[in-house]
Amino acid sequence: MVIAVAMTATLACQSEAHRPQGVGAKAVADLLGRDGSTMGTVTLTQSPHGVLVAADVTGLEPGGHGFHIHAVGSCTPDFSAAGDHFNPENIGHGLNHPSGVHPGDMPNIYAGTDGRVRADYFTDTITLDGGVGHTLFDADGSAIIVHEKPDSYGADPGAGARVACGVIQRN
């Protein structure tokens, strides 16, 4: 019995050491359209094994749209300030890239005929914790971008213009 208790305590300490410090932490990106209209919210929640990204978006054209995390936490003046995809390890673009997926690449989202999207995505390539290379809260922050067309998942994103942007902020 003593051995079982000691082993359980040891395993608990080991798993605790690998847990992100901010388990349960939340961040939010309030999405705005090019005309300044409110287009929804993306909520990010830190778990012990990664981040749950929950999107609730309105005002989109029906069909597929690229949905990415971009490297800079700025949307002004025309969403170009958000820079390229969040990619701290410089991995090539696309969910089909042979070297793996960079953290900014996420699956496309699909708007219904009413222009609304509700989607959840889980990833272990980002964190809301600070002080690590894959944090969304580095010196210049990060943003969520929604594109006019679906991403190709290949080397050339081909997702078209940026139609919505939201700076990711701690909640």
Side-chain angles (χ1 to χ4, degrees), residues 68-150:
H68 305 112
I69 300 171
H70 281 247
V72 180
S74 178
C75 292
T76 57
D78 61 359
F79 303 162
S80 63
D84 293 329
H85 290 185
F86 178 68
N87 188 5
E89 297 171 355
N90 293 317
I91 298 171
H93 177 270
L95 294 178
N96 292 322
H97 195 279
S99 296
V101 177
H102 68 249
D105 277 336
M106 294 192 291
N108 293 323
I109 55 175
Y110 292 86
T113 57
D114 62 355
R116 185 169 189 153
V117 170
R118 176 67 189 99
D120 289 339
Y121 174 65
F122 183 82
T123 178
D124 63 357
T125 63
I126 61 174
T127 185
L128 303 182
D129 281 349
V132 292
H134 62 293
T135 182
L136 297 181
F137 295 107
D138 58 7
D140 59 6
S142 303
I144 299 285
I145 295 284
V146 178
H147 293 269
E148 69 177 338
K149 300 176 187 174

